[in-house]
Amino acid sequence: MAVSDKDIIVCEGVKKWFGDFQALKGVTTTVKEGEVVVIIGPSGSGKSTFIRCINRLEQHQEGVIVVDGVEMTNDVRNIEKIRSEVGMVFQQFNLFPHLTVLDNITLAPLWVRKRTKTDAQERGMQLLNRVGIPEQAEKYPGQLSGGQQQRVAIARALAMEPRIMLFDEPTSALDPEMIKEVLDAMKELARSGMTMIVVTHEMGFAREVADRVLFFDYGTIVEEGTPEHFFTNPQHDRTKLFLSQIL
Amino acid sequence: MSDDTFVVHTEEAELPPEPPPHGPMVWARTNLFSSVTNTILSVVFGGITLLFFWNMVGFIIGEDRRWDAVTANMRLLMVQAYPQEQSVRIWLSLAIILVLAMATLAVWGAGTRLSRYAVGTTLMTAGAFLSFLSLIATLHLVLDSRTAVWGLGGLVVGLVLAGVGYQMRQGEESKVPQIPSLMVTAVALAVPIAAFWVIQVPTPILGGGQELAPVALSTKLPLTILYLIAVVSYLVADRTIGEQERFRGPLVALWVLSFPVIVMVILRDPIIPYDLVTSTYLPIGAAFAIVGAVVMWFVADPTKKEAGLGVGALIFVLFLLSWAISVVMVVRILLLMGALFALSAPTFAGEQRARLRYAGVWFVSVVLVTYFVVLVVAESSIRSESGSFLGGLMLTFPLAIAGMALSFPLGVLLALGRTSTMPIFRLLSTAYIEVVRGVPLITWLLVAFVLLPFFLPPGVGIQGVVRAIFAVAFFSAAYLAENIRGGLQSIGKGQYEAAKALGMTTVQMTVFITLPQALRAVIPALVGQVIALFKDTSLVTIVGLFDFLHIARAVIPNQSQPFNFIGVLREPLLFAALVYWIITFSMSRASLRLERKLGLGER
Amino acid sequence: MLKWVAQLAFLAFLIAVVVIVGRVVASNLSNRGINFGWQWLSDPPGFSIREGIDTTPDSGARALLVGIVNMLRVTVAGIIFATIIGTVIGIARLSNNWIVNKIGTAYIETIRNIPLLVQIFFWQALMLSLKTFGEEDVGSYFTHSSVKGIALPGIFPSDGFWQWMVFVVIGLVAARYVFRWRSRLMEETGNESYALTSAIGTVLVFAALGWFLHPLFGWMSAIWGALEGLARGIPAPLYSWAIALAIVAGAAWWIRGFFEARKTPAGYGKFTDDDIFRVAFAALSGLVIAGFVIWLSSRVVQVPSGGSLEGDVTIAELIRLGAGNFWNFFENKFHGSAGSPFAFELPSIELRGAGFAQYGSESIVITVPFFAVFVGVTVYTAAFIAEVVRAGILAVPRGQTEAASAIGLKRSQYLRLIILPQAFRIILPPMGNQYLNLAKNTSLGTAVAYAEVVAVGFTLSNQTGQSLPIVLTWMVFYLTVSLSISAVVNYYNRKLALVER
């Protein structure tokens, strides 16, 4: 694993409210290029909100987020630039049900990257090979299993050749027997040197793949460290409590 | 980051949540000026809105507006030609409905608690809107060099309201729900009642012109009394029978009875022909009630299995035969009722208590039906030029209620028929539904008014109001059926399997399991249909009934005595639109609340 | 078994009721000396119609046709405008701009809670409050509004219109190919190729060419003439047999589809009573209707003199006449030297008859009844369409927007590629319902004397006393309209259905 010294994501005192509810209470952290960061924490702790702020699916109200040297503001051009460099995989897959699997994957390369159709399709088939389901290319998402859909979603995000991948609880909506196939695809991606931020409850994955683990609670980072330290020697009481409940 | 570091952020984790960025500037920035496009939109549409309100207010308070055409004809609009000296009957009917409504609110524990913040927000919005309109009105009045006292008055009231609202929103505890919503409603309704004693309305002067005059005492006094009755009866009901489930059944029964009693007894004031009653109706009714009760008690026995079907078929044959001989109509009605009761006996069969209850229901139904037939046969003592004692808004409401009451059972039957596994029933129901829905209501009304005479035996005539009710009911039933069908199809297969596993018959399964669930699931659609039906009643004006709309658009603009309102069209129509709007809008809001309370539409 | 007994018993009861009522009707009619029939269709109606393709129709059928055209006119215009306004309002309701959002909400909550009839009356009252005009206003105007209506500058199809239309049709066909070619080009190169713009441009080029070259197509008149000759040459009974055959073929097609749908690799499953009933019913009704068509078309009716047919003719001959007239229409339109495709006319006020000021006969006038009905149904239906559109867009899960923007699509792109295609599926069925409601609601035009099919029928029924046949005509007409709209909606619905497991 090649973690460079270059900071690719810098967050400084990020705050976010939903109405009166404060979801993020000032998050400060940096992610280096090639690093795999796993975020864990109880539900409602703000971890999903945080990674959604990184590609501006949610707007933070205070603080600074800089992705690859571009600051997140209301400027539409900045947002579009960042979104084409940050891939995202959702808990509910969010595949486009009216398009075939291959069209799902080639959509963004065609319309955003202005690739030719043959080119985009060739690359789409490569990606489907990489996630292990080339035979499903002409089917519709509704005809696939959950695990297959999530792998298509990963391929769709990769089709834009992003430099960063965000995973928002990618295995939470899956049946147990399908979790492994998705995690395998993610592990393969991590080994290839992709910068990844993963929100997950899969502790095995965190232990095996993560360079760093962030523990979120009450809208802020309570504790962060390497997986070994984190799982063997947690410091904060909340971390201990959480780990004792989940492990 | 080196491998050994780990960080514990103790301070941040313990921070209490901060309040979000607030204030009018933040609000305006996020809601009006968040981007260039939004700013342009805000300016353009803000301008258009201002222009609209400027013209609207200018139109309403325009010098040549004839609002006196509305105020002078308020009685016509509401009750048409109902004799003035009998108007206490109308007030009594309204009082009964109000008392029942208040008891219902109390028994069902309606109403929630609102926070001071929410009430304050509403007050602030309403006050701001009122002062906005009053400001425009004042400007208009000043520009026309007229006295602007009412405009300024509205401005002050609006500003005071907004100020009170603003004060209510202050403080941390203002967000705790603590004010009963019914109290808010009561206070809100007290405002128009109180306004009746204060404001002056345009009133025509004999010989031309109009002036501002106080509201007539014969309007504001009964309304105030009604308001007080409502408040008192709610308080009493809340203390005595509040939220007790055992009062729900009787209350529903009272509601069902109230409509025929109000229309046929109180408003119509029948002259009961006592000699005819003692000679004919009393003996017939008594005989049917007693003999029938024994029969019903007999067939509602589970050990008799399907005996009810045989008895029912027998009575039905008697019913058919009764048309061959000359006999009082009530006999035929009771025979048909007996057939239906006997046919459904196996469904409601049970132990001794169930059998007694079934016989009891039969007994009471016979008494009520006979009584109702007597009421219909009796002449009315109310004399009115249009030939009907109902008119104006007092025709629109009975039309809608009776239409709904009739269309509901028919709609249920049609929905069951359309989802049935029996092809002939399904074909007939489908054909009925599609044909009725495919053709506009006005055509069916014309059929009822132009074609019906050909279908009736000589000498039989049906009043216009009754024809309209049937046309509206048969039309609405087709739409209701489609709504209910949606509910029936939404019920899971498991429900059917569970019912079958309990050994229920198909009919029992439908009556006790599927239908109640289906109806509950489609309550929003049903209320929507009620609203549509209410709006559709306005169509009877085309066939010449004197409903609310007909008076607003055809009667008032043709008046020349005692005041000249010839050609005054827009004012009465706008008033009619406002009344219809208030009624339907409150219905749809009430339905939304009911929906939320029942937890419908949530997944 | 019991089920069938109950059903058949009910059916018998129903038939008995129909028979009894039928006898009551018959005796009522004979008592009052009324004879229901269809003679009124060919008799002169005895009244003139205020607006429409023919204000002095020569037969009842023609009068009804005028009513039907008027009804369709207001329906089509209403559907187009209600869709546009409704969509805009529906989207406004989703706007995050406070003012725009509130305007949308206020519009919907006001309009849909007031009965349509009240609104139609109000628009009528609004027009009636405009000024009138008299002798002193005679002259030409660009637009003019008064208590008699709104007069607008008109564009009329003129002599060369139909020849010019040939060019437009060719242009449309060509545009289709251009569109495909440009689309393919974009897929191959990845560059924007402006497919839609080029297609529209193609049509415009052909239209412009046709403006000058359209007399070239005068020779097509000969083709239409030949077709007319053919249509008139075929024996009349052949027409009725062809229609009957089409009906039987339709029934057979439905049955075939029914079996097709039941077919599994393991053969046909067990057929229930119900399935057999459906097939039998389809087959039987197909044959019965076909037989009825043949019977009906051999019936003899009286035709008033003056046309090409006179006296007693069969309905089949009338059908043949109609087919011939259809081609004849085109033959005449293509005949002779063609002038410009369009004529323009400014509205004018002129004196007619005994010094009555009127809008000139060449002016396009939106009459008060048309205005009231059109604005009424449009504004009313738009409120419901807005709710349909809003609900449809909201029904597309939020995740779709998020996923689309997360892969870098712009707002305009994801609306067009992701949200609208999905929302459209959800919107379509309720939208069809609203169109249906609009079509039926135009019947309220009766109340403001708009000469649509119910109003014309009602006048006819008052003139001739033939209420029963006229009511039947209404029903057949409205059912046809309803069924056509729902057929179109169902077709698209099936075509667009999502593929699921």
Side-chain angles (χ1 to χ4, degrees), chain A residues 52 80 83 94-98 111-112 116-117 142-144 156 160, chain C residues 187-189 399-400 402-403 405-406 408 410 413 417 422 425 499 501:
Chain A
R52 288 157 65 85
E80 276 166 9
R83 280 185 178 156
N94 293 345
L95 294 179
F96 307 130
H98 60 299
W111 290 93
V112 183
T116 69
K117 188 151 187 170
Q143 297 168 296
L144 303 186
R156 179 177 69 180
M160 288 293 286
Chain C
E187 284 173 1
E188 281 162 7
T189 63
Q400 294 288 313
E402 294 183 347
S405 50
K410 283 185 217 153
Q413 287 176 330
L417 297 168
Q422 292 186 54
R425 281 159 225 264
V499 182
R501 257 210 287 201

mmCIF file of all heavy atoms in Angstrom, chain A residues 52 80 83 94-98 111-112 116-117 142-144 156 160, chain C residues 187-189 399-400 402-403 405-406 408 410 413 417 422 425 499 501:
data_model
loop_
_atom_site.group_PDB
_atom_site.id
_atom_site.type_symbol
_atom_site.label_atom_id
_atom_site.label_comp_id
_atom_site.label_asym_id
_atom_site.label_seq_id
_atom_site.Cartn_x
_atom_site.Cartn_y
_atom_site.Cartn_z
ATOM 1 N N ARG A 52 -20.868 12.660 2.975
ATOM 2 C CA ARG A 52 -21.704 13.301 1.959
ATOM 3 C C ARG A 52 -21.333 14.777 1.785
ATOM 4 O O ARG A 52 -21.561 15.353 0.723
ATOM 5 C CB ARG A 52 -23.185 13.153 2.313
ATOM 6 C CG ARG A 52 -23.677 11.711 2.119
ATOM 7 C CD ARG A 52 -24.897 11.446 2.952
ATOM 8 N NE ARG A 52 -26.019 12.247 2.508
ATOM 9 C CZ ARG A 52 -26.823 11.880 1.520
ATOM 10 N NH1 ARG A 52 -26.636 10.737 0.903
ATOM 11 N NH2 ARG A 52 -27.822 12.645 1.165
ATOM 12 N N GLU A 80 -18.789 20.559 -9.680
ATOM 13 C CA GLU A 80 -18.786 19.595 -10.775
ATOM 14 C C GLU A 80 -17.405 18.983 -10.966
ATOM 15 O O GLU A 80 -17.273 17.791 -11.225
ATOM 16 C CB GLU A 80 -19.259 20.274 -12.063
ATOM 17 C CG GLU A 80 -20.779 20.289 -12.151
ATOM 18 C CD GLU A 80 -21.271 21.233 -13.210
ATOM 19 O OE1 GLU A 80 -20.458 21.740 -13.989
ATOM 20 O OE2 GLU A 80 -22.496 21.464 -13.233
ATOM 21 N N ARG A 83 -16.918 16.473 -8.155
ATOM 22 C CA ARG A 83 -17.753 15.282 -8.237
ATOM 23 C C ARG A 83 -17.251 14.322 -9.298
ATOM 24 O O ARG A 83 -17.437 13.117 -9.183
ATOM 25 C CB ARG A 83 -19.195 15.678 -8.530
ATOM 26 C CG ARG A 83 -19.883 16.148 -7.265
ATOM 27 C CD ARG A 83 -21.316 16.415 -7.496
ATOM 28 N NE ARG A 83 -21.959 16.817 -6.262
ATOM 29 C CZ ARG A 83 -23.062 17.533 -6.211
ATOM 30 N NH1 ARG A 83 -23.636 17.919 -7.329
ATOM 31 N NH2 ARG A 83 -23.591 17.850 -5.064
ATOM 32 N N ASN A 94 -28.668 2.806 -5.536
ATOM 33 C CA ASN A 94 -29.095 3.922 -6.376
ATOM 34 C C ASN A 94 -28.691 3.748 -7.828
ATOM 35 O O ASN A 94 -28.281 4.695 -8.481
ATOM 36 C CB ASN A 94 -28.520 5.246 -5.857
ATOM 37 C CG ASN A 94 -29.106 5.617 -4.518
ATOM 38 O OD1 ASN A 94 -30.112 5.055 -4.126
ATOM 39 N ND2 ASN A 94 -28.471 6.533 -3.828
ATOM 40 N N LEU A 95 -28.846 2.530 -8.344
ATOM 41 C CA LEU A 95 -28.660 2.356 -9.789
ATOM 42 C C LEU A 95 -29.863 2.949 -10.496
ATOM 43 O O LEU A 95 -30.942 3.088 -9.906
ATOM 44 C CB LEU A 95 -28.527 0.870 -10.123
ATOM 45 C CG LEU A 95 -27.273 0.207 -9.572
ATOM 46 C CD1 LEU A 95 -27.265 -1.266 -9.951
ATOM 47 C CD2 LEU A 95 -26.034 0.883 -10.117
ATOM 48 N N PHE A 96 -29.688 3.311 -11.777
ATOM 49 C CA PHE A 96 -30.801 3.896 -12.527
ATOM 50 C C PHE A 96 -31.636 2.761 -13.111
ATOM 51 O O PHE A 96 -31.180 2.053 -14.007
ATOM 52 C CB PHE A 96 -30.259 4.802 -13.634
ATOM 53 C CG PHE A 96 -29.287 5.828 -13.111
ATOM 54 C CD1 PHE A 96 -28.053 6.005 -13.703
ATOM 55 C CD2 PHE A 96 -29.609 6.602 -11.999
ATOM 56 C CE1 PHE A 96 -27.167 6.942 -13.211
ATOM 57 C CE2 PHE A 96 -28.724 7.535 -11.500
ATOM 58 C CZ PHE A 96 -27.491 7.702 -12.105
ATOM 59 N N PRO A 97 -32.858 2.582 -12.637
ATOM 60 C CA PRO A 97 -33.610 1.369 -12.976
ATOM 61 C C PRO A 97 -34.041 1.312 -14.437
ATOM 62 O O PRO A 97 -34.381 0.243 -14.930
ATOM 63 C CB PRO A 97 -34.834 1.440 -12.060
ATOM 64 C CG PRO A 97 -34.982 2.874 -11.729
ATOM 65 C CD PRO A 97 -33.599 3.453 -11.731
ATOM 66 N N HIS A 98 -34.046 2.462 -15.127
ATOM 67 C CA HIS A 98 -34.536 2.452 -16.505
ATOM 68 C C HIS A 98 -33.410 2.246 -17.513
ATOM 69 O O HIS A 98 -33.652 2.275 -18.713
ATOM 70 C CB HIS A 98 -35.271 3.753 -16.807
ATOM 71 C CG HIS A 98 -34.421 4.975 -16.647
ATOM 72 N ND1 HIS A 98 -33.838 5.318 -15.451
ATOM 73 C CD2 HIS A 98 -34.038 5.908 -17.543
ATOM 74 C CE1 HIS A 98 -33.137 6.422 -15.609
ATOM 75 N NE2 HIS A 98 -33.239 6.810 -16.875
ATOM 76 N N TRP A 111 -21.474 11.469 -21.046
ATOM 77 C CA TRP A 111 -22.034 12.815 -20.944
ATOM 78 C C TRP A 111 -21.106 13.789 -20.236
ATOM 79 O O TRP A 111 -21.173 14.978 -20.472
ATOM 80 C CB TRP A 111 -23.381 12.774 -20.225
ATOM 81 C CG TRP A 111 -24.431 12.131 -21.062
ATOM 82 C CD1 TRP A 111 -24.783 10.820 -21.052
ATOM 83 C CD2 TRP A 111 -25.225 12.752 -22.054
ATOM 84 N NE1 TRP A 111 -25.756 10.586 -21.983
ATOM 85 C CE2 TRP A 111 -26.045 11.757 -22.610
ATOM 86 C CE3 TRP A 111 -25.323 14.061 -22.548
ATOM 87 C CZ2 TRP A 111 -26.962 12.032 -23.627
ATOM 88 C CZ3 TRP A 111 -26.244 14.328 -23.544
ATOM 89 C CH2 TRP A 111 -27.048 13.308 -24.085
ATOM 90 N N VAL A 112 -20.273 13.284 -19.316
ATOM 91 C CA VAL A 112 -19.416 14.194 -18.567
ATOM 92 C C VAL A 112 -18.019 14.221 -19.163
ATOM 93 O O VAL A 112 -17.453 15.275 -19.413
ATOM 94 C CB VAL A 112 -19.360 13.780 -17.083
ATOM 95 C CG1 VAL A 112 -18.535 14.780 -16.291
ATOM 96 C CG2 VAL A 112 -20.761 13.693 -16.515
ATOM 97 N N THR A 116 -16.223 8.539 -26.608
ATOM 98 C CA THR A 116 -17.041 7.944 -27.652
ATOM 99 C C THR A 116 -17.738 6.724 -27.081
ATOM 100 O O THR A 116 -17.296 6.146 -26.076
ATOM 101 C CB THR A 116 -16.206 7.495 -28.858
ATOM 102 O OG1 THR A 116 -15.412 6.392 -28.442
ATOM 103 C CG2 THR A 116 -15.312 8.616 -29.341
ATOM 104 N N LYS A 117 -18.808 6.333 -27.734
ATOM 105 C CA LYS A 117 -19.624 5.263 -27.175
ATOM 106 C C LYS A 117 -18.853 3.941 -27.132
ATOM 107 O O LYS A 117 -18.890 3.231 -26.123
ATOM 108 C CB LYS A 117 -20.890 5.091 -28.017
ATOM 109 C CG LYS A 117 -21.874 4.132 -27.394
ATOM 110 C CD LYS A 117 -23.285 4.476 -27.775
ATOM 111 C CE LYS A 117 -24.247 3.608 -26.990
ATOM 112 N NZ LYS A 117 -25.623 4.042 -27.141
ATOM 113 N N GLY A 142 -33.093 -4.083 -11.955
ATOM 114 C CA GLY A 142 -34.140 -4.823 -11.252
ATOM 115 C C GLY A 142 -33.998 -6.321 -11.371
ATOM 116 O O GLY A 142 -34.607 -7.077 -10.614
ATOM 117 N N GLN A 143 -33.187 -6.793 -12.346
ATOM 118 C CA GLN A 143 -33.049 -8.237 -12.540
ATOM 119 C C GLN A 143 -31.850 -8.822 -11.786
ATOM 120 O O GLN A 143 -31.592 -10.002 -11.877
ATOM 121 C CB GLN A 143 -32.896 -8.535 -14.039
ATOM 122 C CG GLN A 143 -34.114 -8.139 -14.849
ATOM 123 C CD GLN A 143 -33.845 -8.157 -16.337
ATOM 124 O OE1 GLN A 143 -33.027 -7.398 -16.835
ATOM 125 N NE2 GLN A 143 -34.535 -9.035 -17.045
ATOM 126 N N LEU A 144 -31.090 -7.956 -11.089
ATOM 127 C CA LEU A 144 -29.885 -8.433 -10.415
ATOM 128 C C LEU A 144 -30.118 -8.610 -8.921
ATOM 129 O O LEU A 144 -31.035 -8.023 -8.349
ATOM 130 C CB LEU A 144 -28.738 -7.425 -10.606
ATOM 131 C CG LEU A 144 -28.345 -7.069 -12.029
ATOM 132 C CD1 LEU A 144 -27.109 -6.184 -12.010
ATOM 133 C CD2 LEU A 144 -28.092 -8.307 -12.855
ATOM 134 N N ARG A 156 -19.776 1.601 -11.735
ATOM 135 C CA ARG A 156 -20.266 2.875 -12.253
ATOM 136 C C ARG A 156 -19.427 4.043 -11.717
ATOM 137 O O ARG A 156 -19.102 4.971 -12.458
ATOM 138 C CB ARG A 156 -21.737 3.062 -11.849
ATOM 139 C CG ARG A 156 -22.313 4.375 -12.316
ATOM 140 C CD ARG A 156 -23.764 4.513 -11.987
ATOM 141 N NE ARG A 156 -23.986 4.656 -10.561
ATOM 142 C CZ ARG A 156 -25.179 4.794 -10.000
ATOM 143 N NH1 ARG A 156 -26.257 4.762 -10.759
ATOM 144 N NH2 ARG A 156 -25.306 4.915 -8.710
ATOM 145 N N MET A 160 -15.695 6.753 -13.960
ATOM 146 C CA MET A 160 -15.254 8.137 -14.089
ATOM 147 C C MET A 160 -13.772 8.275 -13.757
ATOM 148 O O MET A 160 -13.241 9.383 -13.736
ATOM 149 C CB MET A 160 -16.074 9.037 -13.169
ATOM 150 C CG MET A 160 -17.485 9.247 -13.640
ATOM 151 S SD MET A 160 -17.547 10.173 -15.155
ATOM 152 C CE MET A 160 -17.160 11.801 -14.563
ATOM 153 N N GLU C 187 -22.466 9.233 -30.940
ATOM 154 C CA GLU C 187 -22.032 8.056 -30.218
ATOM 155 C C GLU C 187 -20.642 7.624 -30.670
ATOM 156 O O GLU C 187 -19.840 7.141 -29.873
ATOM 157 C CB GLU C 187 -23.031 6.915 -30.440
ATOM 158 C CG GLU C 187 -24.306 7.115 -29.626
ATOM 159 C CD GLU C 187 -25.353 6.092 -29.974
ATOM 160 O OE1 GLU C 187 -25.076 5.230 -30.837
ATOM 161 O OE2 GLU C 187 -26.437 6.156 -29.385
ATOM 162 N N GLU C 188 -20.387 7.817 -31.965
ATOM 163 C CA GLU C 188 -19.092 7.359 -32.463
ATOM 164 C C GLU C 188 -17.954 8.289 -32.082
ATOM 165 O O GLU C 188 -16.874 7.847 -31.739
ATOM 166 C CB GLU C 188 -19.166 7.205 -33.990
ATOM 167 C CG GLU C 188 -19.847 5.906 -34.387
ATOM 168 C CD GLU C 188 -20.308 5.927 -35.830
ATOM 169 O OE1 GLU C 188 -19.977 6.884 -36.557
ATOM 170 O OE2 GLU C 188 -21.008 4.976 -36.226
ATOM 171 N N THR C 189 -18.213 9.596 -32.149
ATOM 172 C CA THR C 189 -17.113 10.529 -31.902
ATOM 173 C C THR C 189 -17.112 11.089 -30.503
ATOM 174 O O THR C 189 -16.095 11.562 -30.017
ATOM 175 C CB THR C 189 -17.187 11.712 -32.877
ATOM 176 O OG1 THR C 189 -18.416 12.407 -32.621
ATOM 177 C CG2 THR C 189 -17.154 11.255 -34.308
ATOM 178 N N GLY C 399 -32.216 9.191 -3.836
ATOM 179 C CA GLY C 399 -30.936 8.557 -4.141
ATOM 180 C C GLY C 399 -30.573 8.656 -5.611
ATOM 181 O O GLY C 399 -29.391 8.702 -5.964
ATOM 182 N N GLN C 400 -31.580 8.702 -6.493
ATOM 183 C CA GLN C 400 -31.298 8.805 -7.920
ATOM 184 C C GLN C 400 -30.608 10.131 -8.236
ATOM 185 O O GLN C 400 -29.636 10.161 -8.974
ATOM 186 C CB GLN C 400 -32.606 8.681 -8.715
ATOM 187 C CG GLN C 400 -33.236 7.329 -8.605
ATOM 188 C CD GLN C 400 -32.461 6.288 -9.371
ATOM 189 O OE1 GLN C 400 -32.086 6.501 -10.515
ATOM 190 N NE2 GLN C 400 -32.177 5.165 -8.737
ATOM 191 N N GLU C 402 -28.955 11.945 -6.119
ATOM 192 C CA GLU C 402 -27.637 11.940 -5.476
ATOM 193 C C GLU C 402 -26.640 11.136 -6.285
ATOM 194 O O GLU C 402 -25.520 11.585 -6.527
ATOM 195 C CB GLU C 402 -27.758 11.368 -4.064
ATOM 196 C CG GLU C 402 -28.573 12.263 -3.159
ATOM 197 C CD GLU C 402 -28.630 11.746 -1.744
ATOM 198 O OE1 GLU C 402 -28.254 10.573 -1.532
ATOM 199 O OE2 GLU C 402 -29.047 12.499 -0.861
ATOM 200 N N ALA C 403 -27.086 9.941 -6.712
ATOM 201 C CA ALA C 403 -26.164 9.110 -7.478
ATOM 202 C C ALA C 403 -25.776 9.811 -8.772
ATOM 203 O O ALA C 403 -24.615 9.802 -9.178
ATOM 204 C CB ALA C 403 -26.812 7.770 -7.786
ATOM 205 N N SER C 405 -25.731 13.059 -9.444
ATOM 206 C CA SER C 405 -24.801 14.174 -9.275
ATOM 207 C C SER C 405 -23.458 13.677 -8.763
ATOM 208 O O SER C 405 -22.431 14.290 -9.040
ATOM 209 C CB SER C 405 -25.390 15.242 -8.354
ATOM 210 O OG SER C 405 -25.862 14.648 -7.186
ATOM 211 N N ALA C 406 -23.458 12.548 -8.050
ATOM 212 C CA ALA C 406 -22.179 12.026 -7.558
ATOM 213 C C ALA C 406 -21.299 11.533 -8.693
ATOM 214 O O ALA C 406 -20.079 11.524 -8.569
ATOM 215 C CB ALA C 406 -22.425 10.896 -6.569
ATOM 216 N N GLY C 408 -21.141 13.080 -11.431
ATOM 217 C CA GLY C 408 -20.687 14.274 -12.129
ATOM 218 C C GLY C 408 -21.642 14.825 -13.150
ATOM 219 O O GLY C 408 -21.297 15.749 -13.877
ATOM 220 N N LYS C 410 -24.472 17.140 -14.679
ATOM 221 C CA LYS C 410 -24.983 18.460 -14.338
ATOM 222 C C LYS C 410 -26.471 18.361 -14.076
ATOM 223 O O LYS C 410 -27.123 17.419 -14.496
ATOM 224 C CB LYS C 410 -24.744 19.432 -15.506
ATOM 225 C CG LYS C 410 -23.341 19.905 -15.615
ATOM 226 C CD LYS C 410 -23.277 20.947 -16.728
ATOM 227 C CE LYS C 410 -21.978 20.803 -17.480
ATOM 228 N NZ LYS C 410 -22.071 21.259 -18.847
ATOM 229 N N GLN C 413 -28.475 17.785 -17.070
ATOM 230 C CA GLN C 413 -28.276 16.436 -17.603
ATOM 231 C C GLN C 413 -29.025 15.399 -16.777
ATOM 232 O O GLN C 413 -29.694 14.527 -17.327
ATOM 233 C CB GLN C 413 -26.784 16.101 -17.612
ATOM 234 C CG GLN C 413 -26.023 16.836 -18.690
ATOM 235 C CD GLN C 413 -24.536 16.552 -18.622
ATOM 236 O OE1 GLN C 413 -23.993 16.302 -17.554
ATOM 237 N NE2 GLN C 413 -23.879 16.607 -19.765
ATOM 238 N N LEU C 417 -31.798 12.944 -18.187
ATOM 239 C CA LEU C 417 -31.428 11.542 -18.402
ATOM 240 C C LEU C 417 -31.939 10.615 -17.307
ATOM 241 O O LEU C 417 -32.179 9.436 -17.550
ATOM 242 C CB LEU C 417 -29.904 11.417 -18.481
ATOM 243 C CG LEU C 417 -29.253 12.155 -19.640
ATOM 244 C CD1 LEU C 417 -27.753 12.213 -19.462
ATOM 245 C CD2 LEU C 417 -29.605 11.464 -20.938
ATOM 246 N N GLN C 422 -37.827 8.592 -15.437
ATOM 247 C CA GLN C 422 -38.454 7.793 -14.381
ATOM 248 C C GLN C 422 -39.751 8.431 -13.913
ATOM 249 O O GLN C 422 -40.733 7.742 -13.648
ATOM 250 C CB GLN C 422 -37.502 7.645 -13.198
ATOM 251 C CG GLN C 422 -36.297 6.804 -13.537
ATOM 252 C CD GLN C 422 -35.452 6.546 -12.323
ATOM 253 O OE1 GLN C 422 -35.913 6.062 -11.314
ATOM 254 N NE2 GLN C 422 -34.186 6.895 -12.417
ATOM 255 N N ARG C 425 -42.863 7.775 -16.237
ATOM 256 C CA ARG C 425 -43.598 6.520 -16.047
ATOM 257 C C ARG C 425 -44.642 6.627 -14.963
ATOM 258 O O ARG C 425 -45.729 6.080 -15.060
ATOM 259 C CB ARG C 425 -42.655 5.421 -15.559
ATOM 260 C CG ARG C 425 -41.822 4.798 -16.578
ATOM 261 C CD ARG C 425 -40.644 4.159 -15.860
ATOM 262 N NE ARG C 425 -39.443 4.477 -16.589
ATOM 263 C CZ ARG C 425 -38.907 3.650 -17.476
ATOM 264 N NH1 ARG C 425 -39.414 2.470 -17.638
ATOM 265 N NH2 ARG C 425 -37.869 4.001 -18.145
ATOM 266 N N VAL C 499 -38.276 -3.104 -16.230
ATOM 267 C CA VAL C 499 -37.988 -4.532 -16.181
ATOM 268 C C VAL C 499 -37.610 -4.906 -14.747
ATOM 269 O O VAL C 499 -36.712 -4.316 -14.162
ATOM 270 C CB VAL C 499 -36.832 -4.880 -17.136
ATOM 271 C CG1 VAL C 499 -36.576 -6.375 -17.124
ATOM 272 C CG2 VAL C 499 -37.158 -4.414 -18.523
ATOM 273 N N ARG C 501 -37.303 -8.210 -11.731
ATOM 274 C CA ARG C 501 -37.103 -9.646 -11.630
ATOM 275 C C ARG C 501 -38.411 -10.389 -11.498
ATOM 276 O O ARG C 501 -39.283 -9.938 -10.778
ATOM 277 C CB ARG C 501 -36.257 -9.952 -10.393
ATOM 278 C CG ARG C 501 -34.850 -10.263 -10.778
ATOM 279 C CD ARG C 501 -34.260 -11.213 -9.800
ATOM 280 N NE ARG C 501 -33.989 -10.506 -8.541
ATOM 281 C CZ ARG C 501 -33.124 -10.950 -7.641
ATOM 282 N NH1 ARG C 501 -32.466 -12.058 -7.877
ATOM 283 N NH2 ARG C 501 -32.920 -10.306 -6.538
#
